[in-house]
Amino acid sequence: MSTTSPLLWSTEGRPEQMGDGDEPTLRGIELSRSFGDGETRVTALDHVTLDLYGGQISLLMGPSGSGKSTLLAVLSGLLRPDSGRVIALGTDLWALPEREQEAFRLRHCGFIFQGYNLFPALTARQQLEMVLRWGQGASGREARRKSEEMLTLLGMARKSHLRPVEMSGGEKQRVAIGRALMKNPDFCFADEPTSALDWAHGEQVVELLRTAAHERGATILVVAHDARIIPYADRVFHLEDGRLKEEDVEDQGTKIKERV
Amino acid sequence: MPYSLATLWHDRQRFLPGVLAVAFSSLLIALQCGLLLGIFSITSIPIDHTRADIWMGAPEVLSVDLGQTIRGSHVGRLEVQPEVVRAEPFMQGFSYWSKPVGGRELCMVIGSHLEEDALGKVDALSPDMLGQLHIHGNIVIDESDLERLGVSGVGATAEISNQRVRVVGLTHGLKSLAGPYVFCSLETARSLLGGKLTGDTEQITYVLAKCKDPADAPRVVARLRERYKDVSTFTSSEFSFKSRMHWLLKTKAGIALGYAALLGLLVGAVVTNQTLYAATVASLREFAVLRALGIPRWRIAGMVLAQSFWVGLFGVTLGWVGSHAARYVAANMGASVSLPWELQAGAAAITLLTALVSGLVALRSLRLIEPAMLLH
Ligand SMILES: Nc1ncnc2c1ncn2[C@@H]1O[C@H](COP(=O)(O)OP(=O)(O)OP(=O)(O)O)[C@@H](O)[C@H]1O
Ligand SMILES: [Mg+2]
């Protein structure tokens, strides 16, 4: 987006491991998860191992029911795996007590889900302010300033007073992205953020996420169906029946890097 | 504007039932209490419509209409108090009224001094009536009791305790509960109540007194209470309240009142609780995003409680307006609803508290918030 301001994507004050260094910021090790019992038992994840790096946007693709959402939930601390470990910024996430997991998510994680999930009663600006005020205990004034900056960045400066019913789908998704990126998170997880949008708007969304990765050094994982997103990703993972296809990853990754 | 208030305003359709329920229960409580207070204020008419600051009567008197006789010489006990500028005897007692058409009716005879500034004469007596009451056997009754007493109006005659009385005037708005009020002079009253007033000394029912500064009354009363144990002494407002409360409790009307109030509160609580629960469930996905972002549960709980507070506040405000409107309507229909500020504040506080408790109960909905539900 042309409105992108490098100042706002500042990476100051980040932990060192967030750079484009060799250390992965998020590691999933031998992750397995299944649902149900007996005959109806479904294995959603089958010993999945993967590393994600700061400053990169990784794409997770695969057919419906292949376990993409499950993997994203396990990696982000929303769904406990049956076995395996998640190491985030050097911390074994699932070994933490629930309260500390919550605190970890509060400090480091942003989320974007399909379907916006904005409060119908609140304006675009209030949706963003809420995250800072309730999450960080920011003052009303500070939350307002930062929210306005974020909305400007998203090209929504003049729509900050609109409520969800008054926004287009693309605008709503931009607010949802703003909400996820408000606290300048180290990780951002997005489950099908573009599936409800037409391609033009979907492209904008991916563009925004890519900028966040590249300029903020964030680790971004996006689940998507649409193959048109592939060129925007630094790495692409392919999931099928709960298993990760490794060969795609390297191939695509290097291909994209050369192109960008 | 707080997020809770913004939500309330935006979803006013959803929250309206809760607000109305709270309004309904606060209105019900205020009106019930007010109506009963209004009804029982009839019992304290002799206190509320006269000028005295202090009332002295028989020991342990329960209510003004239940006064027993005391010695007429007790007037002196009040006269000598330095703060008191005037003290007077007052007579009150039940007697039987024989209707000209036949049949008897209980009535309440009230005898007092008749000067323009007398302490015991009710304010509704005009100078003309006062003049005529000097004549023995002349009485004034309230216009609302004409039918009950079986007389047509001014000039009619009847008998009280086999003594002939003549109606010389009618008051307005001095309704009675147990027996119609019959206003007359001390002398007339003494002979009408004669059967009860025997003995060597002149008997009266109360001594009334006026202080130079009405603010001194409580001090004088305290002193007299300390000094004289063979009578009971009250400030007029104390005695008025005591009389009303006595009948409220004695008639068990208070119990009916309690049940009605409880029922109102229950309805308010259930509807408010349902409203808040439904509102939270409707925002489950939004709250789930906040939970995924690591925002603590208590923030969301705080929002639900804040909503319950606003629902309560708007409801109570609406109830307040409603109770005043209802009082106006009731007054036009001849029923007096008394809404002292203590009653209004009490009704508001109880209903607001109920709304907050409903909010607390509605917090169980927060258990439904599950961030994993956002994944597809
Ligand atoms: N809560 C659940 N209970 C039972 N089974 C589940 C649950 N969540 C997921 N599954 C099953 O696990 C498998 C993987 O689901 P998942 O949602 O991860 O797939 P997905 O790759 O995200 O699919 P889609 O592209 O359709 O979103 C599916 O077979 C699904 O039916
Ligand atoms: Mg999915």
Side-chain angles (χ1 to χ4, degrees), chain A residues 102 105 119 130 133-135, chain B residues 3-4 7 276-277 279-281 283-308 359-360 362-371 374:
Chain A
E102 194 179 303
R105 293 203 308 269
F119 287 94
M130 192 179 219
R133 299 193 62 175
W134 285 8
Chain B
Y3 304 135
S4 52
T7 306
L276 292 168
Y277 189 89
T280 315
V281 169
S283 290
L284 230 41
R285 294 181 65 85
E286 288 82 55
F287 286 139
V289 174
L290 297 184
R291 292 287 294 140
L293 289 171
I295 285 171
R297 206 178 287 268
W298 69 263
R299 288 283 187 181
I300 299 166
M303 169 130 164
V304 175
L305 286 182
Q307 284 171 353
S308 73
L360 276 176
L363 289 184
R364 71 192 190 285
S365 59
L366 300 193
R367 267 181 293 165
L368 303 174
I369 299 175
E370 182 48 64
L374 297 166

Side-chain angles (χ1 to χ4, degrees), chain B residues 142-314:
Chain B
D142 195 77
E143 143 196 78
S144 62
D145 289 324
L146 281 174
E147 201 176 334
R148 191 165 163 189
L149 294 175
V151 289
S152 55
V154 173
T157 57
E159 278 184 3
I160 295 177
S161 306
N162 299 321
Q163 298 176 50
R164 197 178 168 75
V165 292
R166 198 165 75 94
V167 179
V168 296
L170 296 174
T171 58
H172 303 279
L174 296 185
K175 286 196 185 158
S176 55
L177 214 54
Y181 288 116
V182 172
F183 302 101
C184 58
S185 69
L186 270 177
E187 291 68 30
T188 307
R190 182 162 291 127
S191 74
L192 293 180
L193 298 172
K196 294 178 182 170
L197 303 173
T198 51
D200 307 333
T201 41
E202 189 180 77
Q203 303 258 9
I204 60 173
T205 325
Y206 294 103
V207 181
L208 311 189
K210 178 125 200 92
C211 292
K212 196 177 297 163
D213 180 358
D216 288 335
R219 192 148 42 87
V220 179
V221 166
R223 195 188 312 139
L224 290 165
R225 260 184 209 159
E226 186 65 30
R227 177 104 187 263
Y228 300 112
K229 306 290 187 195
D230 59 340
V231 289
S232 50
T233 316
F234 306 97
T235 63
S236 49
S237 55
E238 271 172 4
F239 198 31
S240 172
F241 184 71
K242 186 180 166 74
S243 301
R244 295 181 204 193
M245 285 314 284
H246 172 75
W247 285 107
L248 191 68
L249 299 177
K250 174 100 186 250
T251 55
K252 308 275 191 297
I255 295 176
L257 176 98
Y259 275 121
L262 212 65
L263 218 64
L265 281 180
L266 208 66
V267 170
V270 168
V271 178
T272 309
N273 174 51
Q274 282 305 109
T275 302
L276 292 168
Y277 189 89
T280 315
V281 169
S283 290
L284 230 41
R285 294 181 65 85
E286 288 82 55
F287 286 139
V289 174
L290 297 184
R291 292 287 294 140
L293 289 171
I295 285 171
R297 206 178 287 268
W298 69 263
R299 288 283 187 181
I300 299 166
M303 169 130 164
V304 175
L305 286 182
Q307 284 171 353
S308 73
F309 171 77
W310 293 118
V311 166
L313 192 72
F314 290 129

Side-chain angles (χ1 to χ4, degrees), chain A residues 69 73 105-106 111 117 183, chain B residues 285 291-293 299 375-376:
Chain A
S69 297
R105 293 203 308 269
L106 183 59
F111 289 90
N117 304 304
K183 56 185 176 185
Chain B
R285 294 181 65 85
R291 292 287 294 140
L293 289 171
R299 288 283 187 181
L375 299 157
H376 291 273

Side-chain angles (χ1 to χ4, degrees), chain A residues 63-70 114 191-192 223 225, chain B residues 374-376:
Chain A
S64 183
S66 57
K68 305 181 296 293
S69 297
T70 308
Q114 191 186 342
D191 192 11
E192 313 211 6
V223 170
H225 271 118
Chain B
L374 297 166
L375 299 157
H376 291 273

